[in-house]
Amino acid sequence: MARPETIDVTAAIERARFGRFQFAITALCALIALLDGFDTQAIAYVAPVIAEDWQMSMASFGPIFGAGLAGLTVGAFVLSPAADRFGRKSVILVSMAIFGVFSLITAWAGTMNELLLYRFLTGLGLGGAMPNIIALTSEYAPARLRATLVTVMFCGFPLGSTIGGVLSAPMIAAFGWHSVFILGGIAPLVVLVLLVVMLPESVRYLVARGAPAEKIDRIMRRLDPAIAAGGPRSYVLNEPKAKGFPVRKLFEDGRARVTLLLWVAFFMNLLVMYFLVNWLPSLLRGAGLPLQIAILSTAILNFGGVVGAITLGRMIDRLNPHLVLGSAYAASAGFIALVALGASDLWILMPATFLAGYGVVGAQIGMNALTAGVYPTAIRSTGVGWALGVGRIGSIIGPVAGGLLIGAGWSTEWVVMAAVVPALLASAAVFALRRHGHAGAPAAAPTLAH
């Protein structure tokens, strides 16, 4: 009987040429990110219109913004460890079904309590999808391209927010605010059918969980055509196999300080990011700018994030990632201040908003890639998900704090200026990561699929 050929999956991924299979995975995950970005941002675009329709103050929308982000937080905390047990693809599909259905239902909200509940439930799905598309893209990417592919993929998120900004104003004018949520619900449910057929499970995850070699073999031959069909074969993954509660593993084997610093950076920057993307349209509308310009400013912020993610991703693959990202966060603080001071001058406001998005949104996407590379396969989704979950706590505090500042009578200028401080703290945390370096995974016996 022939002796089985043993193939190291990590080595196979590293040597395989980047082809149609890897591109398709990256593109599908980018499409999920785009829909995620559209649905996450939708409430900010329609909030000024709902406030006018329901005769409410904009300050009262702080809890509504916070409810959606609370759902994102719970989704990230709960569904990311679930993916390390049940698979990336399964959790992605469940997450998309959740945020598609509840975004659609949001279109028929008639009270603030209904709106709050539906945004929370939509957020559960949005929060569960994010860490898993990051993990799945990372696990099919060779190390030489990992940061680039993850950042390019996750550009779908700010691109979805940008598209939402471009489409929302004419849709609201033509069909009312309900149409934004109807589109945000139908689109992911249609794409869900496509993903069931086309999206593969992570091959690293399958090996780590001891899936049958035949199932892994079908994926590996699509990944690397040099692997011929037929013949007994086994697959190994030279990474430690996690046992027990996966969250505890984030603090073992020298990972504790790195995990905590990542959490600080995520917390502070997502506080800034969601403060800006939720409140900027309403703040600029309150400052006297037309609704179309107020919405466009947030689209420009997210477009800056797309450009920032692509360029910063390549820089992360080539240079010290901590220096790149720490500098981007520090620069974004200066551009946020410029947004605050130049709100009345479009020639200052729009370039400053673009550059603030370049640093805040673009560097956050780069942090996602950096975090995916810190943790081994067995806890990667948990590591990314909990970093995003802790960041989501900041993303809740940001919009709620914005509502409190507006309610306290702060001017637009000073409300925006308040975001400078957490941007600088995020920069400090990333520079501190540079001193500690990455968490190293200890050597361990390879995980075997047979």
Side-chain angles (χ1 to χ4, degrees):
M1 187 174 179
R3 186 172 182 177
E5 176 190 6
T6 299
I7 295 179
D8 182 337
V9 169
T10 301
I13 290 172
E14 290 300 321
R15 69 170 177 264
R17 183 179 64 86
F18 184 79
R20 287 182 296 176
F21 181 67
Q22 297 94 319
F23 176 82
I25 293 169
T26 306
L28 288 170
C29 289
L31 179 58
I32 298 167
L34 185 147
L35 297 171
D36 206 316
F38 183 97
D39 275 350
T40 299
Q41 188 66 40
I43 187 64
Y45 294 138
V46 303
V49 182
I50 297 176
E52 291 178 8
D53 283 356
W54 293 359
Q55 297 182 334
M56 301 175 57
S57 69
M58 275 309 306
S60 63
F61 268 80
I64 301 298
F65 295 150
L69 296 169
L72 281 160
T73 305
V74 175
F77 279 140
V78 173
L79 294 177
S80 53
D84 283 328
R85 181 172 181 180
F86 300 110
R88 294 19 170 165
K89 179 176 179 176
S90 299
V91 174
I92 287 170
L93 297 179
V94 169
S95 298
M96 288 195 68
I98 292 172
F99 79 74
V101 167
F102 285 106
S103 178
L104 195 58
I105 292 174
T106 303
W108 284 272
T111 67
M112 288 295 284
N113 286 338
E114 289 180 359
L115 193 59
L116 188 146
L117 174 63
Y118 298 154
R119 287 308 296 171
F120 175 81
L121 294 172
T122 302
L124 287 177
L126 296 169
M130 287 184 196
N132 287 295
I133 58 175
I134 294 168
L136 186 62
T137 303
S138 174
E139 287 168 358
Y140 276 106
R144 66 186 183 276
L145 294 173
R146 183 171 296 129
T148 299
L149 291 178
V150 172
T151 52
V152 168
M153 177 279 296
F154 211 75
C155 281
F157 184 86
L159 184 59
S161 299
T162 303
I163 291 171
V166 172
L167 295 180
S168 291
M171 285 177 66
I172 291 169
F175 308 109
W177 62 265
H178 311 79
S179 62
V180 177
F181 291 116
I182 292 172
L183 177 60
I186 291 175
L189 295 178
V190 171
V191 171
L192 181 63
V193 178
L194 177 70
L195 297 176
V196 170
V197 177
M198 295 190 62
L199 188 69
E201 181 55 88
S202 164
V203 71
R204 296 187 197 232
Y205 166 82
L206 291 173
V207 176
R209 299 296 293 184
E214 294 79 11
K215 184 175 184 178
I216 298 167
D217 195 59
R218 287 194 294 270
I219 296 175
M220 290 302 297
R221 282 189 281 113
R222 294 178 66 192
L223 176 77
D224 186 0
I227 299 175
R233 190 174 288 133
S234 64
Y235 292 93
V236 298
L237 186 68
N238 286 303
E239 294 183 6
K241 188 172 182 178
K243 294 181 180 180
F245 187 50
V247 178
R248 188 176 68 242
K249 299 295 180 182
L250 304 181
F251 295 90
E252 296 178 353
D253 303 321
R255 287 187 281 263
R257 286 185 297 180
V258 173
T259 292
L260 290 173
L261 285 170
L262 285 170
W263 287 6
V264 170
F266 271 72
F267 179 94
M268 292 298 171
N269 191 60
L270 284 174
L271 185 155
V272 175
M273 179 175 163
Y274 279 88
F275 170 85
L276 291 174
V277 298
N278 279 284
W279 279 114
L280 200 57
S282 300
L283 287 170
L284 295 177
R285 183 78 176 94
L289 292 177
L291 177 63
Q292 291 85 349
I293 297 297
I295 290 177
L296 181 62
S297 68
T298 309
I300 293 293
L301 181 89
N302 285 297
F303 181 66
V306 173
V307 177
I310 294 171
T311 55
L312 292 172
R314 290 304 295 155
M315 292 170 69
I316 291 168
D317 277 332
R318 296 169 180 267
L319 305 172
N320 183 288
H322 309 100
L323 182 62
V324 171
L325 296 172
S327 299
Y329 284 149
S332 72
F335 292 118
I336 291 168
L338 199 56
V339 170
L341 297 172
S344 61
D345 187 338
L346 291 182
W347 291 103
I348 297 175
L349 175 65
M350 291 306 178
T353 301
F354 175 88
L355 292 169
Y358 184 100
V360 173
V361 182
Q364 180 57 47
I365 296 172
M367 283 297 295
N368 295 338
L370 178 68
T371 305
V374 166
Y375 299 108
T377 300
I379 58 171
R380 179 169 291 118
S381 184
T382 299
V384 175
W386 273 65
L388 283 167
V390 170
R392 296 299 172 208
I393 297 173
S395 74
I396 296 167
I397 292 173
V400 172
L404 293 174
L405 295 178
I406 293 168
W410 283 39
S411 67
T412 297
E413 175 183 322
W414 283 106
V415 171
V416 176
M417 191 71 78
V420 169
V421 175
L424 292 174
L425 291 174
S427 174
V430 176
F431 281 127
L433 269 171
R434 185 186 182 189
R435 292 197 297 273
H436 292 303
H438 280 184
T447 302
L448 181 65
H450 49 76

